[in-house]
Amino acid sequence: MCAPPMSEIDRLIQLLARLPGLGPRSARRAALHMLKRRETVLQPLARALADAAAAVGPCAICGNIDSRDPCAICADPNRDPALLCVVEDVADLWALERSGGFRGRYHVLGGVLSPVDGIGPNEIGADRLVARAAAAAVAEVILALGFTVGGQTTAHYLVERLAPCGVRISGIAHGVPLGGELHYLDDATLTTAVAARRPLG
Ligand SMILES: [Zn+2]
């Protein structure tokens, strides 16, 4: 016997429950909130989701997520091409942008080295980063990686890989807690961390 088809409401709740920070209980609350506010919440949200699904994708240059490729940051002529800031995740890029303390360009690794999870240099696109860092315009690479084991392992690896590029290599320092992930930091701490970067290689 097949299971009865899932109702639209059940499906909505099940999908919402997969979002970070939402369990089944809060997913039910969110679904009910939307369904009761069809015109002001549900329909605009459905349109925004459809638009995002159709238009948004990764930037081929830096790995940011945007509705244009290259992304708005890569395409912005006012950003300093001499500074390349390496982050683990798009969430970290967004956090640095919110802090407003950095006016260079970014490179999103999409993860950190983790041999047990099968994440090696290929998975984090190390070659792509080295190629970008070797470009004449780049003077400094800032490794803005979290003070986690994976983040620091990755930083050490990238220092070695980037050394032949002849760029200055720095790491963020100040105020980033041990075990800390960048996107949990407040704007002021993050701005100070980038401003107080230290040479690594
Ligand atoms: Zn980009």
Side-chain angles (χ1 to χ4, degrees), residues 170-195:
S170 56
I172 53 168
H174 204 85
V176 179
L178 287 174
E181 296 199 35
L182 252 56
H183 55 269
Y184 290 122
L185 299 180
D186 63 275
D187 294 353
T189 305
L190 206 43
T191 302
T192 317
V194 177

PDB file of all heavy atoms in Angstrom, residues 170-195:
ATOM      1  N   SER A 170      48.267  37.762   4.924  1.00  0.00           N
ATOM      2  CA  SER A 170      47.984  38.129   6.307  1.00  0.00           C
ATOM      3  C   SER A 170      46.794  37.334   6.816  1.00  0.00           C
ATOM      4  O   SER A 170      46.040  36.746   6.042  1.00  0.00           O
ATOM      5  CB  SER A 170      47.717  39.627   6.418  1.00  0.00           C
ATOM      6  OG  SER A 170      46.676  39.989   5.554  1.00  0.00           O
ATOM      7  N   GLY A 171      46.672  37.302   8.149  1.00  0.00           N
ATOM      8  CA  GLY A 171      45.542  36.608   8.762  1.00  0.00           C
ATOM      9  C   GLY A 171      44.874  37.543   9.749  1.00  0.00           C
ATOM     10  O   GLY A 171      45.533  38.399  10.326  1.00  0.00           O
ATOM     11  N   ILE A 172      43.577  37.412   9.892  1.00  0.00           N
ATOM     12  CA  ILE A 172      42.901  38.260  10.869  1.00  0.00           C
ATOM     13  C   ILE A 172      43.316  37.815  12.260  1.00  0.00           C
ATOM     14  O   ILE A 172      43.621  36.645  12.482  1.00  0.00           O
ATOM     15  CB  ILE A 172      41.365  38.233  10.713  1.00  0.00           C
ATOM     16  CG1 ILE A 172      40.837  36.794  10.721  1.00  0.00           C
ATOM     17  CG2 ILE A 172      40.954  38.943   9.448  1.00  0.00           C
ATOM     18  CD1 ILE A 172      39.346  36.727  10.850  1.00  0.00           C
ATOM     19  N   ALA A 173      43.326  38.761  13.182  1.00  0.00           N
ATOM     20  CA  ALA A 173      43.867  38.436  14.487  1.00  0.00           C
ATOM     21  C   ALA A 173      42.939  38.799  15.621  1.00  0.00           C
ATOM     22  O   ALA A 173      42.414  37.949  16.335  1.00  0.00           O
ATOM     23  CB  ALA A 173      45.187  39.179  14.669  1.00  0.00           C
ATOM     24  N   HIS A 174      42.722  40.055  15.727  1.00  0.00           N
ATOM     25  CA  HIS A 174      42.223  40.632  16.956  1.00  0.00           C
ATOM     26  C   HIS A 174      40.775  40.269  17.247  1.00  0.00           C
ATOM     27  O   HIS A 174      39.893  40.479  16.427  1.00  0.00           O
ATOM     28  CB  HIS A 174      42.337  42.150  16.833  1.00  0.00           C
ATOM     29  CG  HIS A 174      42.420  42.842  18.123  1.00  0.00           C
ATOM     30  ND1 HIS A 174      43.611  42.999  18.785  1.00  0.00           N
ATOM     31  CD2 HIS A 174      41.474  43.413  18.883  1.00  0.00           C
ATOM     32  CE1 HIS A 174      43.381  43.655  19.900  1.00  0.00           C
ATOM     33  NE2 HIS A 174      42.102  43.921  19.986  1.00  0.00           N
ATOM     34  N   GLY A 175      40.529  39.708  18.420  1.00  0.00           N
ATOM     35  CA  GLY A 175      39.150  39.569  18.869  1.00  0.00           C
ATOM     36  C   GLY A 175      38.400  38.365  18.322  1.00  0.00           C
ATOM     37  O   GLY A 175      37.259  38.160  18.690  1.00  0.00           O
ATOM     38  N   VAL A 176      39.045  37.587  17.449  1.00  0.00           N
ATOM     39  CA  VAL A 176      38.344  36.398  16.961  1.00  0.00           C
ATOM     40  C   VAL A 176      38.548  35.283  17.983  1.00  0.00           C
ATOM     41  O   VAL A 176      39.664  34.849  18.214  1.00  0.00           O
ATOM     42  CB  VAL A 176      38.879  35.954  15.581  1.00  0.00           C
ATOM     43  CG1 VAL A 176      38.156  34.711  15.098  1.00  0.00           C
ATOM     44  CG2 VAL A 176      38.703  37.087  14.570  1.00  0.00           C
ATOM     45  N   PRO A 177      37.494  34.827  18.634  1.00  0.00           N
ATOM     46  CA  PRO A 177      37.664  33.848  19.705  1.00  0.00           C
ATOM     47  C   PRO A 177      38.092  32.489  19.178  1.00  0.00           C
ATOM     48  O   PRO A 177      37.795  32.143  18.034  1.00  0.00           O
ATOM     49  CB  PRO A 177      36.270  33.757  20.327  1.00  0.00           C
ATOM     50  CG  PRO A 177      35.343  34.199  19.260  1.00  0.00           C
ATOM     51  CD  PRO A 177      36.088  35.158  18.386  1.00  0.00           C
ATOM     52  N   LEU A 178      38.803  31.726  20.027  1.00  0.00           N
ATOM     53  CA  LEU A 178      39.176  30.362  19.663  1.00  0.00           C
ATOM     54  C   LEU A 178      37.905  29.562  19.431  1.00  0.00           C
ATOM     55  O   LEU A 178      36.948  29.669  20.194  1.00  0.00           O
ATOM     56  CB  LEU A 178      39.996  29.727  20.778  1.00  0.00           C
ATOM     57  CG  LEU A 178      41.426  30.252  20.920  1.00  0.00           C
ATOM     58  CD1 LEU A 178      42.079  29.660  22.147  1.00  0.00           C
ATOM     59  CD2 LEU A 178      42.248  29.924  19.687  1.00  0.00           C
ATOM     60  N   GLY A 179      37.910  28.766  18.383  1.00  0.00           N
ATOM     61  CA  GLY A 179      36.709  27.998  18.053  1.00  0.00           C
ATOM     62  C   GLY A 179      35.625  28.868  17.449  1.00  0.00           C
ATOM     63  O   GLY A 179      34.510  28.419  17.230  1.00  0.00           O
ATOM     64  N   GLY A 180      35.971  30.141  17.165  1.00  0.00           N
ATOM     65  CA  GLY A 180      34.946  31.070  16.712  1.00  0.00           C
ATOM     66  C   GLY A 180      34.742  31.030  15.213  1.00  0.00           C
ATOM     67  O   GLY A 180      35.687  30.903  14.460  1.00  0.00           O
ATOM     68  N   GLU A 181      33.516  31.123  14.785  1.00  0.00           N
ATOM     69  CA  GLU A 181      33.217  31.220  13.371  1.00  0.00           C
ATOM     70  C   GLU A 181      32.893  32.673  13.066  1.00  0.00           C
ATOM     71  O   GLU A 181      32.213  33.346  13.832  1.00  0.00           O
ATOM     72  CB  GLU A 181      32.045  30.317  13.023  1.00  0.00           C
ATOM     73  CG  GLU A 181      32.414  28.862  13.274  1.00  0.00           C
ATOM     74  CD  GLU A 181      31.506  27.916  12.536  1.00  0.00           C
ATOM     75  OE1 GLU A 181      31.080  28.245  11.435  1.00  0.00           O
ATOM     76  OE2 GLU A 181      31.221  26.856  13.094  1.00  0.00           O
ATOM     77  N   LEU A 182      33.388  33.117  11.921  1.00  0.00           N
ATOM     78  CA  LEU A 182      33.342  34.546  11.611  1.00  0.00           C
ATOM     79  C   LEU A 182      31.946  35.148  11.647  1.00  0.00           C
ATOM     80  O   LEU A 182      31.734  36.231  12.167  1.00  0.00           O
ATOM     81  CB  LEU A 182      33.941  34.768  10.218  1.00  0.00           C
ATOM     82  CG  LEU A 182      35.292  35.433  10.189  1.00  0.00           C
ATOM     83  CD1 LEU A 182      36.295  34.650  11.022  1.00  0.00           C
ATOM     84  CD2 LEU A 182      35.785  35.560   8.772  1.00  0.00           C
ATOM     85  N   HIS A 183      30.982  34.436  11.072  1.00  0.00           N
ATOM     86  CA  HIS A 183      29.690  35.088  10.891  1.00  0.00           C
ATOM     87  C   HIS A 183      28.889  35.227  12.186  1.00  0.00           C
ATOM     88  O   HIS A 183      27.814  35.808  12.177  1.00  0.00           O
ATOM     89  CB  HIS A 183      28.877  34.415   9.776  1.00  0.00           C
ATOM     90  CG  HIS A 183      28.685  32.956   9.956  1.00  0.00           C
ATOM     91  ND1 HIS A 183      29.556  32.027   9.446  1.00  0.00           N
ATOM     92  CD2 HIS A 183      27.739  32.264  10.602  1.00  0.00           C
ATOM     93  CE1 HIS A 183      29.133  30.823   9.753  1.00  0.00           C
ATOM     94  NE2 HIS A 183      28.042  30.939  10.459  1.00  0.00           N
ATOM     95  N   TYR A 184      29.438  34.693  13.306  1.00  0.00           N
ATOM     96  CA  TYR A 184      28.768  34.915  14.583  1.00  0.00           C
ATOM     97  C   TYR A 184      29.277  36.174  15.285  1.00  0.00           C
ATOM     98  O   TYR A 184      28.753  36.559  16.319  1.00  0.00           O
ATOM     99  CB  TYR A 184      28.956  33.712  15.511  1.00  0.00           C
ATOM    100  CG  TYR A 184      28.203  32.495  15.052  1.00  0.00           C
ATOM    101  CD1 TYR A 184      28.853  31.305  14.784  1.00  0.00           C
ATOM    102  CD2 TYR A 184      26.823  32.551  14.879  1.00  0.00           C
ATOM    103  CE1 TYR A 184      28.153  30.197  14.338  1.00  0.00           C
ATOM    104  CE2 TYR A 184      26.123  31.451  14.438  1.00  0.00           C
ATOM    105  CZ  TYR A 184      26.788  30.274  14.174  1.00  0.00           C
ATOM    106  OH  TYR A 184      26.089  29.189  13.738  1.00  0.00           O
ATOM    107  N   LEU A 185      30.326  36.786  14.724  1.00  0.00           N
ATOM    108  CA  LEU A 185      30.920  37.944  15.400  1.00  0.00           C
ATOM    109  C   LEU A 185      30.099  39.195  15.139  1.00  0.00           C
ATOM    110  O   LEU A 185      29.480  39.345  14.103  1.00  0.00           O
ATOM    111  CB  LEU A 185      32.350  38.160  14.892  1.00  0.00           C
ATOM    112  CG  LEU A 185      33.332  37.016  15.126  1.00  0.00           C
ATOM    113  CD1 LEU A 185      34.692  37.386  14.564  1.00  0.00           C
ATOM    114  CD2 LEU A 185      33.435  36.704  16.605  1.00  0.00           C
ATOM    115  N   ASP A 186      30.173  40.134  16.098  1.00  0.00           N
ATOM    116  CA  ASP A 186      29.502  41.406  15.868  1.00  0.00           C
ATOM    117  C   ASP A 186      30.335  42.250  14.908  1.00  0.00           C
ATOM    118  O   ASP A 186      31.519  41.998  14.690  1.00  0.00           O
ATOM    119  CB  ASP A 186      29.281  42.135  17.199  1.00  0.00           C
ATOM    120  CG  ASP A 186      30.594  42.488  17.857  1.00  0.00           C
ATOM    121  OD1 ASP A 186      31.141  41.622  18.568  1.00  0.00           O
ATOM    122  OD2 ASP A 186      31.085  43.599  17.630  1.00  0.00           O
ATOM    123  N   ASP A 187      29.702  43.274  14.315  1.00  0.00           N
ATOM    124  CA  ASP A 187      30.339  44.073  13.271  1.00  0.00           C
ATOM    125  C   ASP A 187      31.642  44.707  13.735  1.00  0.00           C
ATOM    126  O   ASP A 187      32.640  44.699  13.012  1.00  0.00           O
ATOM    127  CB  ASP A 187      29.394  45.185  12.804  1.00  0.00           C
ATOM    128  CG  ASP A 187      28.170  44.603  12.111  1.00  0.00           C
ATOM    129  OD1 ASP A 187      28.156  43.376  11.892  1.00  0.00           O
ATOM    130  OD2 ASP A 187      27.262  45.380  11.797  1.00  0.00           O
ATOM    131  N   ALA A 188      31.651  45.247  14.965  1.00  0.00           N
ATOM    132  CA  ALA A 188      32.836  45.963  15.441  1.00  0.00           C
ATOM    133  C   ALA A 188      34.022  45.009  15.590  1.00  0.00           C
ATOM    134  O   ALA A 188      35.143  45.323  15.189  1.00  0.00           O
ATOM    135  CB  ALA A 188      32.529  46.642  16.772  1.00  0.00           C
ATOM    136  N   THR A 189      33.780  43.831  16.153  1.00  0.00           N
ATOM    137  CA  THR A 189      34.847  42.846  16.334  1.00  0.00           C
ATOM    138  C   THR A 189      35.421  42.433  14.984  1.00  0.00           C
ATOM    139  O   THR A 189      36.630  42.324  14.801  1.00  0.00           O
ATOM    140  CB  THR A 189      34.307  41.597  17.058  1.00  0.00           C
ATOM    141  OG1 THR A 189      33.706  42.016  18.279  1.00  0.00           O
ATOM    142  CG2 THR A 189      35.413  40.606  17.365  1.00  0.00           C
ATOM    143  N   LEU A 190      34.522  42.238  14.030  1.00  0.00           N
ATOM    144  CA  LEU A 190      34.940  41.791  12.700  1.00  0.00           C
ATOM    145  C   LEU A 190      35.750  42.876  11.991  1.00  0.00           C
ATOM    146  O   LEU A 190      36.790  42.594  11.380  1.00  0.00           O
ATOM    147  CB  LEU A 190      33.679  41.445  11.905  1.00  0.00           C
ATOM    148  CG  LEU A 190      33.782  40.445  10.778  1.00  0.00           C
ATOM    149  CD1 LEU A 190      34.636  39.257  11.147  1.00  0.00           C
ATOM    150  CD2 LEU A 190      32.395  39.994  10.387  1.00  0.00           C
ATOM    151  N   THR A 191      35.301  44.118  12.092  1.00  0.00           N
ATOM    152  CA  THR A 191      36.026  45.237  11.474  1.00  0.00           C
ATOM    153  C   THR A 191      37.417  45.349  12.077  1.00  0.00           C
ATOM    154  O   THR A 191      38.415  45.500  11.365  1.00  0.00           O
ATOM    155  CB  THR A 191      35.254  46.557  11.688  1.00  0.00           C
ATOM    156  OG1 THR A 191      33.962  46.399  11.129  1.00  0.00           O
ATOM    157  CG2 THR A 191      35.950  47.719  11.003  1.00  0.00           C
ATOM    158  N   THR A 192      37.511  45.235  13.414  1.00  0.00           N
ATOM    159  CA  THR A 192      38.805  45.324  14.091  1.00  0.00           C
ATOM    160  C   THR A 192      39.706  44.167  13.681  1.00  0.00           C
ATOM    161  O   THR A 192      40.908  44.333  13.488  1.00  0.00           O
ATOM    162  CB  THR A 192      38.613  45.261  15.621  1.00  0.00           C
ATOM    163  OG1 THR A 192      37.505  46.085  15.959  1.00  0.00           O
ATOM    164  CG2 THR A 192      39.844  45.757  16.355  1.00  0.00           C
ATOM    165  N   ALA A 193      39.102  42.989  13.540  1.00  0.00           N
ATOM    166  CA  ALA A 193      39.893  41.794  13.194  1.00  0.00           C
ATOM    167  C   ALA A 193      40.557  41.958  11.837  1.00  0.00           C
ATOM    168  O   ALA A 193      41.709  41.576  11.647  1.00  0.00           O
ATOM    169  CB  ALA A 193      39.004  40.554  13.211  1.00  0.00           C
ATOM    170  N   VAL A 194      39.838  42.530  10.881  1.00  0.00           N
ATOM    171  CA  VAL A 194      40.413  42.721   9.545  1.00  0.00           C
ATOM    172  C   VAL A 194      41.459  43.830   9.580  1.00  0.00           C
ATOM    173  O   VAL A 194      42.536  43.714   9.003  1.00  0.00           O
ATOM    174  CB  VAL A 194      39.317  43.025   8.509  1.00  0.00           C
ATOM    175  CG1 VAL A 194      39.935  43.290   7.144  1.00  0.00           C
ATOM    176  CG2 VAL A 194      38.349  41.859   8.406  1.00  0.00           C
ATOM    177  N   ALA A 195      41.154  44.907  10.313  1.00  0.00           N
ATOM    178  CA  ALA A 195      42.087  46.044  10.386  1.00  0.00           C
ATOM    179  C   ALA A 195      43.384  45.610  11.086  1.00  0.00           C
ATOM    180  O   ALA A 195      44.471  46.072  10.735  1.00  0.00           O
ATOM    181  CB  ALA A 195      41.451  47.201  11.121  1.00  0.00           C
TER     182      ALA A 195
END
